[in-house]
Amino acid sequence: DAGVTQSPTHLIKTRGQQVTLRCSPISGHKSVSWYQQVLGQGPQFIFQYYEKEERGRGNFPDRFSARQFPNYSSELNVNALLLGDSALYLCASRSAQGDPTDTQYFGPGTRLTVL
Amino acid sequence: AQSVTQLGSHVSVSEGALVLLRCNYSSSVPPYLFWYVQYPNQGLQLLLKYTTGATLVKGINGFEAEFKKSETSFHLTKPSAHMSDAAEYFCAVSAWAGTALIFGKGTTLSVSS
């Protein structure tokens, strides 16, 4: 089975632009989460979606938004890009929510560079 | 609020030596604890996790970790390091398995021959 896939792999934008990142979860997984990993730091939680509804939001500005589609894939949108938005954006999927035995599986990430 | 502190941003060991990566957590509720590994230009791979039950958890690639509630620690160990273990290691905590992960800043493990 394919793992979590993300596109694009790399992206270069300029300040003020908007960007959309995409994620496809593992087949059968209904929950998707997004994380931002700035160079030299651990990932920081941005959003969690389960069954197409937002179930959690991290401490990120409103410039960040996301959605989940009926096929459980997800998009992360960032508006008015700042230099500080340069990071590796990771998507993670899990099969359900609230199952103690559940595991989050991470994709390879999208490397966003803002110039 | 939950938090994770990883002691030592960089750990260097010789091949065959013991690996010890330290993680302390803060949580107001019984925590779920995780160790992930990240190889260059890749995503995160789960090494092991503690949810409930046995406090000594065995993971992939010979790694294990012990949950010590009294010390609020979840240190990662491996008896004998291999060159292929060189990577970035992250400790993470969540209030329960369905919620967001809170990660530490990571520890880079270098292995020399």
Side-chain angles (χ1 to χ4, degrees):
Chain A
D1 282 343
V4 178
T5 58
Q6 294 186 241
S7 62
T9 306
H10 295 87
L11 204 52
I12 299 175
K13 293 286 188 178
T14 57
R15 281 177 295 175
Q17 286 190 311
Q18 176 264 342
V19 68
T20 298
L21 311 180
R22 295 175 176 82
C23 170
S24 292
I26 292 171
S27 178
H29 284 195
K30 300 180 178 180
S31 177
V32 169
S33 297
W34 287 94
Y35 292 80
Q36 180 196 64
Q37 186 179 14
V38 173
L39 195 63
Q41 300 292 320
Q44 279 198 294
F45 171 69
I46 310 175
F47 286 109
Q48 181 185 39
Y49 276 78
Y50 177 68
E51 287 283 17
K52 301 177 287 295
E53 291 187 3
E54 182 182 303
R55 297 301 181 98
R57 174 186 286 253
N59 188 24
F60 280 80
D62 292 343
R63 298 185 297 107
F64 289 77
S65 64
R67 55 180 175 170
Q68 187 176 33
F69 299 98
N71 67 353
Y72 302 109
S73 66
S74 177
E75 285 183 352
L76 175 69
N77 295 284
V78 187
N79 294 321
L81 285 167
L82 303 174
L83 295 179
D85 295 331
S86 295
L88 180 67
Y89 288 84
L90 295 165
C91 174
S93 78
R94 59 159 57 99
S95 59
Q97 183 162 334
D99 181 351
T101 65
D102 209 5
T103 295
Q104 284 198 72
Y105 295 90
F106 283 81
T110 293
R111 174 72 63 186
L112 172 65
T113 302
V114 182
L115 302 176
Chain B
Q2 296 177 302
S3 66
V4 172
T5 301
Q6 292 185 240
L7 301 176
S9 59
H10 199 150
V11 171
S12 297
V13 301
S14 299
E15 195 171 21
L18 171 71
V19 175
L20 171 60
L21 304 183
R22 300 178 186 273
C23 172
N24 288 90
Y25 69 90
S26 173
S27 178
S28 58
V29 297
Y32 290 89
L33 295 160
F34 307 80
W35 275 99
Y36 281 86
V37 61
Q38 186 176 36
Y39 297 100
N41 301 313
Q42 294 188 25
L44 302 174
Q45 180 183 10
L46 180 71
L47 281 175
L48 49 79
K49 64 181 178 183
Y50 169 78
T51 53
T52 58
T55 56
L56 181 62
V57 180
K58 295 187 183 298
I60 62 172
N61 301 337
F63 285 94
E64 63 181 36
E66 186 171 10
F67 170 59
K68 292 186 177 181
K69 183 178 179 180
S70 61
E71 298 178 8
T72 60
S73 69
F74 191 56
H75 301 331
L76 181 71
T77 60
K78 182 173 180 178
S80 177
H82 294 160
M83 297 293 287
S84 60
D85 294 327
E88 187 84 13
Y89 291 80
F90 293 96
C91 181
V93 65
S94 69
W96 51 287
T99 59
L101 294 171
I102 308 299
F103 285 88
K105 292 186 176 182
T107 297
T108 301
L109 175 65
S110 300
V111 182
S112 58
S113 57

